[in-house]
Amino acid sequence: MKTRQSGPIGRPRGFDADEALERAMLVFWEHGYEGASLATLTNAMGISTTSMYAAFGNKEELFRKALERYTEGPSAYLARALEEPTALGVTTAILAGAIRTTTRPAHPHGCMGVQGALVSGDSGRGVRDLLVAWRNNGCSRLQERFQRAIDDGELPPETNPRLLARYVTTLAFGIAVQAASGVGRDELQEMADAALRTWPLP
C-alpha cells in the first residue's frame, strides 16, 4: 500500500508504509528498543523523521506497530502450533518454530519479544511493560491449551498446566537468547529434543 506523506519542506514524498514498517521491525529486532536510534530507524525505513511521526507516531508507537507485525509474521508459529491436535505436538511445534525464527540467516537472531527491552531505562518502561504482557499472553494461551489436554485425558490429571506452560515458554525464550548469542540451529534442536524426552505421559 503506497502512503504519500510530505517531506520536511512540504514536498510530497511517496513511500511504502508496509515496507517501512517491515524495516523498522528488523531494526528493533536487531537492536532492541533503546538501541534503535531514530536516525537508524528512519535511515532503514527510507523516510524522514517528519514522515515517520506523521505515518506511525512516536518511537514507542512505532515499536508497538512493529511488534504487531512481528507477532503476525515471524512469531506467527505460536498461533499455528496451538492448533496442533496434541499437547506434545503443540510443544514440538513451538520449540521448532522458535529455533527456525531465531536462527534464520536473513533475519536478526534471537526474539524481538524477548530482547526488545531486556535493558531499558525509565524512557523504555512502557515498552518493557508491553513486552512483559506480550510474553505473558503467549504463556496464558499455552496454559489454556494444556488445560484442554488435561480435560481430554491426554495429559495426566495431576499435570499443572500453568507450570507446564511456563516451562515450555521459558525453553522457547531460552532458545531465543542462545540463538542471539550465536548458538547454532543443530545444537538448539538437540536441546529441544532433550527437553521433549521428559514430556509427561498420560
Side-chain angles (χ1 to χ4, degrees), residues 3-15 48 50-51:
T3 301
R4 299 198 66 81
Q5 299 291 343
S6 295
I9 57 173
R11 209 163 14 124
R13 178 171 185 178
F15 69 90
S48 68
T50 303
S51 294

Side-chain angles (χ1 to χ4, degrees), residues 25-31 101-111 180:
M25 179 194 75
L26 293 173
V27 171
F28 283 128
W29 189 352
E30 182 174 0
H31 299 285
T101 300
T102 60
T103 60
R104 197 169 287 159
H107 288 85
H109 286 181
C111 170

